[in-house]
Amino acid sequence: MRLVTCSGAFLALATLAPAVNALPSFGWGQNQPREDAVTAYGGNDISKLAKYLPSSNLPKPDGLELKFVGLGIGTQNYTCNGDKSAAPGTTGALATLYDMGSGLANDPMAAWKLASVTGLALSLYNYHESLMWYLNSQGYQDVLGHHFFTPGTPSSVPTFLISKIQQNPPVAYVAKKDNVTAPAWAFKGLSGEGAIPWLRLVDNGKSSGGVNTVYRVETAGGNATPNCENRPAHWEVPYAAQYWVYGPKS
Ligand SMILES: *[C@@H]1O[C@H](CO)[C@@H](O)[C@H](O)[C@H]1NC(C)=O
Ligand SMILES: *[C@@H]1O[C@H](CO)[C@@H](O)[C@H](O)[C@H]1NC(C)=O
């Protein structure tokens, strides 16, 4: 692997490694990026999707260029400390990012498909073969990268590693800047827990590879329970979301 040429990504991968065993069964390793897939981002195809960023009250990505659109499927992680009435704490998230952008960029139905992808994907969360069939049928099966949290002080850092780009993979280290409640029609999740908020996440100064802003939109599921009643010390809630990744105009 040429990743060692990029110390940031190498660090990120090293961080990810211990978590890999715990990935949901459809994750890492089963859909290695195709060699030729990298060229999908050589042109400007993805720019055709830019106008379809799901609309919300989040500030617009003015002056930025759309680089990648990932379908994140994984878990939001929560903690409880024994106080039943306390609200759960958040410890991060772990998700495989499937490459939605390549498939949709040339799909005349893109605008109509976007709103249903995450709900469908999360519905199939416990049915691995069905999920993979769905992703394949839409051309979303290639792994774009991974979303995880990099340990840091004072708190761990939301991280997006675009491993599909094999030479100097882009890495976004971001902080939450804006949030809005998910729309009422969002899929509320496998236990009806509710969809996590939509977010605008912005570079914390350490990103590399031409990415600096990530929108988490079209969320499905992933919310914590309102309190820690009957909750263990660590627990995960399956979720899906679209991650729209932007960077400065190239
Ligand atoms: C989140 O949960 C997953 C699955 O149990 C685990 O592998 C991962 O390490 C957890 N990540 C964090 C930041 O807690
Ligand atoms: C947005 O973030 C603020 C500050 O963290 C929080 O108080 C608020 O509840 C959040 N709103 C939503 C909709 O998540």
Side-chain angles (χ1 to χ4, degrees), residues 169-185:
V171 194
Y173 296 103
V174 294
K176 202 194 294 187
K177 275 285 181 297
D178 303 282
N179 59 354
V180 295
T181 310
W185 42 261

Side-chain angles (χ1 to χ4, degrees), residues 97-115:
L97 306 178
Y98 292 94
D99 185 2
M100 273 178 68
S102 294
L104 282 177
N106 294 311
D107 188 337
M109 298 297 286
W112 289 270
K113 287 184 174 179
L114 279 163

Side-chain angles (χ1 to χ4, degrees), residues 19 22 75 77 91-94 149 236:
T75 62
N77 295 17
T91 52
L94 186 62
F149 277 58
E236 291 94 44

